[in-house]
Amino acid sequence: MLHAAYSPRLMRDPKIGEILVQPDDLKQRVRTLGEQVTAEYADRDLLLVGVLKGAVFFLADLMRHIEIPCEVDFMAVSSYGSATDSSGVVRILKDLDTAIEDRHVLIVEDIVDSGLTLSYLLKNLRTRRPASLEVCALMQKLDVQQVPLDIKYKAFEIPPVFVVGYGLDYGERFRNLPFVGTLKPEVYRDAVT
Ligand code: IMP
Ligand code: MG
């Protein structure tokens, strides 16, 4: 059960279906991942690359559990497609501020669905010759990946349903939910996308 202190008004939103990941589970897993990154990058020059906007919440929490010097930069990409499906055609809306040559880069992404966005990002960043390039994803949807991807750090695997909360949006809404939950299918079925 979700604790009553968590945004009771948002929780009652009739568009939200079921809660898939509770706030406490998010906290615990993010802490563990932070500890893992701390240990594995102990003597390396770590640059976290957050993918805007969905990964912002995850990245901010993760970074507080990384206890080695590190830096952060952001990219914004948009994949052409409807609000709930990505097409694989990716456009860079905001590029990194920093050069990544010879640096240890960790991409921080909210969710891997088809994997097409991440696959494009990896290909793009690899051409800039980082010392290493790995991925830390909050969630991965099972059985829907269209390209093979090596995701080194992953917090949760979820069923292939559309989810919102903890940074993830539907039409820019619901990012502020403290949990990850499903959206009732009729919400996006009826939407004009
Ligand atoms: P992919 O290219 O199909 O892997 O989709 C990746 C991007 O689509 C993610 O970075 C999200 O921004 C968005 N996305 C995929 N699934 C969801 C979801 O269930 N909720 C919200 N955004 C999603
Ligand atoms: Mg995203």
Side-chain angles (χ1 to χ4, degrees):
M1 262 303 286
L2 186 76
H3 195 280
Y6 291 123
S7 60
R9 269 209 304 194
L10 283 167
M11 251 198 71
R12 279 202 303 266
D13 192 310
K15 298 190 181 79
I16 303 298
E18 174 194 357
I19 294 169
L20 289 191
V21 191
Q22 297 283 2
D24 286 347
D25 298 325
L26 286 166
K27 255 183 223 146
Q28 245 175 45
R29 279 296 291 146
V30 172
R31 173 189 293 271
T32 304
L33 286 183
E35 288 167 357
Q36 237 177 303
V37 170
T38 302
E40 286 167 31
Y41 285 85
D43 42 21
R44 291 194 266 168
D45 173 30
L46 173 61
L47 175 69
L48 300 167
V49 170
V51 185
L52 294 173
K53 302 169 191 170
V56 164
F57 294 63
F58 173 42
L59 173 69
D61 287 343
L62 178 73
M63 221 173 154
R64 276 180 273 238
H65 294 292
I66 297 179
E67 298 179 359
I68 51 168
C70 60
E71 293 174 23
V72 64
D73 202 345
F74 292 97
M75 275 183 97
V77 294
S78 108
S79 53
Y80 296 100
S82 73
T84 56
D85 281 303
S86 95
S87 61
V89 183
V90 178
R91 189 162 54 112
I92 294 183
L93 303 176
K94 184 222 168 288
D95 207 336
L96 296 173
D97 295 332
T98 41
I100 59 168
E101 188 167 356
D102 296 331
R103 303 200 63 185
H104 293 278
V105 175
L106 183 59
I107 299 177
V108 181
E109 174 63 303
D110 53 2
I111 190 162
V112 182
D113 186 350
S114 68
L116 294 168
T117 306
L118 199 52
S119 157
Y120 169 84
L121 267 180
L122 284 165
K123 220 182 291 168
N124 182 292
L125 294 184
R126 217 172 268 131
T127 64
R128 308 182 197 191
R129 302 181 181 287
S132 69
L133 184 61
E134 299 290 354
V135 176
C136 180
L138 176 68
M139 288 178 283
Q140 179 172 25
K141 289 189 195 174
L142 293 171
D143 308 323
V144 282
Q145 218 176 293
Q146 292 178 26
V147 278
L149 285 171
D150 184 17
I151 300 168
K152 185 154 190 197
Y153 306 97
K154 180 171 41 182
F156 299 98
E157 289 180 337
I158 63 164
V161 290
F162 193 81
V163 291
V164 293
Y166 196 60
L168 288 117
D169 73 305
Y170 173 67
E172 294 301 324
R173 295 288 174 91
F174 306 112
R175 294 192 197 276
N176 54 332
L177 295 174
F179 53 82
V180 174
T182 62
L183 206 53
K184 290 198 181 127
E186 62 263 28
V187 177
Y188 48 84
R189 202 171 49 222
D190 299 342
V192 181
T193 53

